[in-house]
Amino acid sequence: MTGAAPYDSDQPHGDSASSYDPNYVPDSVKSFVVHMYRHIREKNVYEIHQMYETSFQSISDRFFKDAPWPSVDAVATYVDNDHVFCLLYREMWFRHLYARLSPTLKQRIDSWDNYCNLFQVVLHGVVNMQLPNQWLWDMVDEFVYQFQSFCQYRAKMKNKTEQEIALLRQYDQAWNVYGVLNYLQALVEKSSIIQILEQEKEGLEQFTATDGYDYSGGSNVLKVLGYFSMVGLLRVHCLLGDYHTGLKCILPIDISQQGVYTSVIGSHITTIYHYGFANLMLRRYTEAIREFNKILIYIFKTKQYHQKSPQYEQILKKNEQMYALLAVTLSLCPQLKLVEETVNSQLREKYGEKMLRMQRYDDEAFALYDELFSYACPKFITPSASSYEEPLVNYNQDAYRLQLKLFLYEVKQQQLLSGIRTFLNVYSTISIAKLASYMEVDEDTLRTILMTYKHKMHSVDSDGKIISNMDTNFYIDDDMVHVVESKAPKKYGDYFMRQIVKLEGITSDIDRVKLE
Amino acid sequence: MGREMTNQKPQSEMSYTVQQLVSVNPYNPDILPDLENYVNEQVSSQTYSSNANLCLLRLYQFEPERMSTQIVARILIKALMAMPAPDFSLCLFLIPERVMRTEWVLVLWKGWGMTIGMQMEDQFKTLIVLSHYLETARFRQFWDEAAKSRHILEVVPGFEQAIQAYAIHVLSIAYQKVPRSVLAEAINIEGLVLDKFIEHHITNSGWAIEKNQNKGQLIIFPHNEFNDPELKKSAADGIPLENITRILPILG
């Protein structure tokens, strides 16, 4: 790469460090870039996807296990020095670096520059390519990931050298939170993706039906980047602790349906993970449970197909994290009937015991809430730069500690509710006086607890409507508590529908057999 | 319920521009002064915009040196008034701890004197305590503490009414019939004023009264899906239209 300062070169940290020559281009790389370049020019999306997913991985495994790929300058000659291809190549180059090695500060800054250049080209609307959704998703995902990584890195002030601090001061625009948010916002706006999705509902546009691809000779890049940027914004806002705005950013996407976000498993999981987490923090427990349940079923059914893919480990990790979040949510709001059997049995296996202990709300319970939350939560960031003047301390944990503290504070406020639940599950009617004596509190306190229960188990949705998350329902008539039957009304409608579809499936199968 | 019962006045021209800024160009450090002015306008005109206030808190998060504790305190009070919406928690999620703590140190260092510094921090602590009481329906303790903190709260007109609206909301989702004493404690009104209050709601909100066995007064709330199980059940077994469309080709 050009412009490497003497104290901070592109030398990787790894075994092949001494032997890394940025200008050495093995034949397989030469062939890779030549073919990739041709496929991109000819818009052969399928071939691009194959090369991007498979070839890149296998070449990396063979030659670049812990070294970067050849520099872009070295390969540029094989691709007519094409400006856009070089930007794309560099994007993959940096992603590989982040995955296998640790980037230096200079490399982080250079990667930021590359993203700026790449996004600017796309925003100017001069791009004429069709790229696979997987790649476009990876771009946005990696962009947010590198931002998160940079904030974590910047906040570890303690062992920073003077040169690093000087460089941070000089390049204060790199990975600046305003820059990151504005690029994502610009992609959403310039692509008009929100209007496209609106018009699609009325049949005036085709987007989801073609998985975002453009079959009329145009390019899918800006539109799909704009689409995935909405998920990117959801993620960034969650990292900042702004759950409300994060959910607003994702509003144009209907997550009750399939969509372009489900066309790439990484995007599907990231969307639902953050959506569920944001709902948990907003006390919209039933919504969180529903979505976690759906995605966990989906992962259970489909993960075998992704075993060979580079995303497999991430998929498994997010799967485990969402089980932890589900365990936490169900301990606060035991709506077990919303959880499907497969998920439920996995949940009991992983967290059955811990969930029982969490519902006791003693000291051990809080330790468990802490443990699961800390394991499963996003890597929160502090978006502001430090002043570099105060004594150099690490503040990379501050954001996480704040969110954890506020979460545990919420759990503490719900401490007395599980006691109420136990009694309400046993009685259909009970007087305030009796219930108070069983719970060993005075009547006034009991009334307070009952009202807290009602308040905590109702959330306010984005339109200001009150939504009930109540598992065990009740109402109070003067000094009598009336418990409402908590058995769910049998969903005859749903059952009949499923049987109809099933029968139709069997009938058409039989029809097919007859023809042979 | 909730939000609808609080501050509801036609938006001014300024608020229209600010709302536009927030939706079109929210990640822009230059709009910070506009957002601060807008907070003050919300206070004086008894309106509320959680989006604009969250936007401002975000900008403060990005540039902590520009944070104004006075504005943050006002935002927090307005958020309390928006209950049962979780706005207060949403705000706390965005206020870095070290800013709230170091404010005190900075104020001392700038030579303003200790009392002002301590007031700043106490303000936030008080508001968090008040929020805690409201979240756990401890209305008596809330009104006691609010009385002690009048100097902090009186800067925002409409505070009392907003909290009373919240209290009534919680009562009406928990009770079909509530004893008068419980209502009185929750909204901090007694005697003749309470009588008038109840009469007003009988006329306008569908309340009713009856006597219980001990000759005390019972206030009856209109039935809603939260305090009446019958009303809830009827909504439960519906099937969304999209699901039916799946099987229409089969039936046809």
Side-chain angles (χ1 to χ4, degrees), chain B residues 168-180:
Chain B
I168 290 171
H169 156 80
V170 178
L171 289 173
S172 69
I173 61 175
Y175 287 91
Q176 278 187 3
K177 299 180 188 172
V178 64
R180 181 190 164 104

Side-chain angles (χ1 to χ4, degrees), chain B residues 6-27:
Chain B
T6 57
N7 322 302
Q8 192 70 280
K9 288 224 181 120
Q11 307 274 287
S12 70
E13 224 189 85
M14 181 219 212
S15 69
Y16 183 63
T17 334
V18 174
Q19 301 280 20
Q20 273 189 313
L21 280 176
V22 168
S23 60
V24 169
N25 196 4
Y27 313 122

Side-chain angles (χ1 to χ4, degrees), chain A residues 178 182 237 240 242 244-245 282 403 405 409 413 447-448 452 454-456 458 476-478 497, chain B residues 27 51 58 61-63 90 93 97 132 135-137 171 173-177 212 226 236 243 250:
Chain A
Y178 286 115
N182 279 313
H237 283 289
L240 297 170
D242 190 353
H244 174 89
T245 311
L282 289 174
Q403 302 299 316
K405 185 178 101 152
Y409 183 66
Q413 285 181 341
R447 287 185 189 273
T448 305
T452 308
K454 277 280 183 170
H455 167 61
K456 289 295 188 187
H458 286 79
I476 313 172
D477 189 338
D478 188 9
M497 292 253 304
Chain B
Y27 313 122
N51 282 330
R58 242 193 345 255
Q61 200 190 29
F62 299 167
E63 297 176 86
L90 294 183
F93 286 138
E97 269 193 289
H132 177 72
E135 285 284 334
T136 52
L171 289 173
I173 61 175
Y175 287 91
Q176 278 187 3
K177 299 180 188 172
N212 70 7
F226 307 112
N243 294 9
I250 302 174

